[in-house]
Amino acid sequence: MNHIRWGLLSTANINRRLIPAIRASARGELAAVASRSQAAAALYADAWDIPLAFDSYEAMLASDAIDAVYISLPNHLHAEWTIRALHLGKHVLCEKPFALTLAEVDAMIAAAAQTGRVLAEAFMYRHHPQTKIAGEWVRSGRLGEITAVRAVFNYAMASRQNIRLNPDWGGGCLWDVGVYPVSLAQFLLGGPPVQAAGAQILGPSGVDEDFLGQMWYAGGAIAQIQASFRCPFYTTAEVIGSEGRLSFTRPFVFTLDPAERRLIFHPREGDPIEVATPEEELYAGEVADMHAAILDGAPPYLSLAETRDHVRTVLALYESARQNRILPL
Ligand SMILES: NC(=O)c1ccc[n+]([C@@H]2O[C@H](COP(=O)([O-])OP(=O)(O)OC[C@H]3O[C@@H](n4cnc5c(N)ncnc54)[C@H](OP(=O)(O)O)[C@@H]3O)[C@@H](O)[C@H]2O)c1
């Protein structure tokens, strides 16, 4: 095998970002799409020029025509379909948030281990050069002793008909976009927090539409994060150390204009310095990483242990918000 035949498990909106990344990759091809209805699958396959359309997720997973699946289902279905796909011999790239409980995460990891298939969380910005370079700056010591990370991901949801507002489906802004600041803090600070405090504002459907969190890390640093469904689009992040700080204008890389994406070093003394970060298509890295893991046996760049810690931290933040007190992880 020298290339991977991908199947899209659903006709989700987000697919339109992965499709060009698969097509642009040297070792992947888009072979199939599955939907709960034949009509939707056929329409989608036609619109996106995809060779095979399956009228059920089961049918695509049973097919020998695909090697790997991209799971872009509502959050509460990630675990079930990931496990089913792995047991039917498929490699899986599963959207964030990976799953909604640690029991689900552990069952997914166990299924990957049992079947010997590759499983990874689709956290695209973690693969982007900007994120990797920021991590290198922190670990090189140029920022000195790191004391804080602050990160925000807000957007104003356009329609109230959205899977993200359903409390039974893993709705809520922390699960949806708060996971980005949570994962960035974990990456920059070298691991998950030891304590977490969360505060949330619930919307009419009962999910958090605003969330603020603070996390304490073993090395002494503190992270503060914010997520929202109600505020205008705004993302920012900074990592602050004794020798200076690195600030991101687009930490999660979402932007139509690459000139808006800047990583800036503010030293203890002197003028700010722009840190050069190569341009790369946002979804290219996670696809290439899956190909390397499947075809070359390379370990996935984002390990399942890190993914488990993302979920563990989010659960602690939610529990803290519910109990209105700081909780250990
Ligand atoms: N990494 C990123 O940049 C990024 C960005 C956006 C979203 N995401 C993640 O991707 C996932 C999908 O988000 P999305 O906004 O693309 O979702 P969406 O457009 O609402 O699509 C979800 C799909 O799931 C399928 N589905 C199965 N059961 C369903 C049910 N009971 N109700 C509704 N849909 C159901 C549907 O496909 P069929 O009708 O074809 O079966 C539907 O098209 C989420 O986990 C989200 O967190 C990631």
Side-chain angles (χ1 to χ4, degrees):
M1 186 162 67
N2 60 11
H3 80 292
I4 300 301
R5 299 163 304 166
W6 284 90
L8 306 172
L9 205 113
S10 91
T11 59
N13 273 326
I14 185 58
N15 291 356
R16 72 201 141 88
R17 301 303 303 271
L18 206 81
I19 291 171
I22 293 172
R23 290 198 162 133
S25 70
R27 301 202 282 177
E29 86 179 77
L30 183 55
V33 62
S35 179
R36 291 163 301 165
S37 95
Q38 172 59 41
L43 207 62
Y44 196 86
D46 192 43
W48 287 95
D49 196 18
I50 302 171
L52 296 169
F54 291 94
D55 62 2
S56 72
Y57 304 153
E58 289 89 343
M60 187 174 80
L61 294 182
S63 164
D64 289 336
I66 61 160
D67 308 302
V69 292
Y70 171 57
I71 302 222
S72 52
L73 294 168
N75 300 341
H76 69 302
L77 298 174
H78 290 181
E80 175 191 343
W81 286 97
T82 290
I83 292 168
R84 290 173 78 155
L86 290 166
H87 282 298
L88 287 165
K90 310 306 180 202
H91 305 280
V92 175
L93 179 64
C94 177
E95 263 306 337
K96 45 55 64 178
F98 199 59
L100 301 173
T101 67
L102 284 182
E104 284 183 344
V105 173
D106 289 340
M108 293 158 85
I109 294 175
Q114 275 166 25
T115 58
R117 298 297 180 225
V118 173
L119 169 62
E121 182 178 23
F123 241 136
M124 74 310 179
Y125 87 96
R126 280 289 314 274
H127 297 268
H128 192 273
Q130 172 177 271
T131 318
K132 292 181 177 174
I133 288 169
E136 285 159 17
W137 269 67
V138 168
R139 288 180 238 304
S140 75
R142 280 188 77 175
L143 302 180
E145 186 186 340
I146 304 298
T147 57
V149 169
R150 291 204 300 218
V152 175
F153 197 147
N154 294 342
Y155 72 102
M157 190 175 274
S159 159
R160 304 296 297 176
Q161 302 306 312
N162 193 305
I163 53 172
R164 293 161 179 77
L165 295 175
N166 188 331
D168 298 327
W169 291 5
C173 66
L174 178 61
W175 278 127
D176 187 36
V177 285
V179 290
Y180 288 91
V182 163
S183 68
L184 182 66
Q186 179 177 310
F187 173 61
L188 293 174
L189 296 174
V194 291
Q195 292 192 121
Q200 59 187 347
I201 303 174
L202 301 180
S205 72
V207 306
D208 51 302
E209 296 204 23
D210 291 274
F211 201 101
L212 285 101
Q214 179 158 303
M215 287 102 77
W216 290 260
Y217 293 79
I222 294 171
Q224 292 180 327
I225 61 130
Q226 186 193 358
S228 179
F229 281 163
R230 294 200 271 219
C231 300
F233 178 81
Y234 176 55
T235 61
T236 189
E238 58 182 352
V239 49
I240 303 167
S242 55
E243 298 305 316
R245 94 191 139 88
L246 260 186
S247 64
F248 305 68
T249 57
R250 288 285 189 276
F252 311 115
V253 193
F254 286 109
T255 172
L256 294 177
D257 178 2
E260 288 179 349
R261 186 181 63 71
R262 300 174 70 210
L263 183 65
I264 301 163
F265 175 49
H266 307 260
R268 175 187 276 272
E269 280 167 19
D271 294 333
I273 299 162
E274 180 132 10
V275 179
T277 61
E279 208 39 64
E280 185 178 288
E281 204 285 315
L282 178 53
Y283 294 79
E286 66 184 17
V287 171
D289 193 64
M290 282 294 290
H291 293 165
I294 299 167
L295 296 171
D296 309 334
Y301 174 67
L302 178 54
S303 73
L304 290 170
E306 287 171 88
T307 286
R308 188 178 192 279
D309 283 333
H310 296 154
V311 175
R312 200 156 67 90
T313 304
V314 168
L315 290 168
L317 285 166
Y318 273 128
E319 192 53 30
S320 162
R322 272 191 286 271
Q323 295 188 24
N324 195 24
R325 65 188 178 98
I326 299 173
L327 291 179
L329 252 81

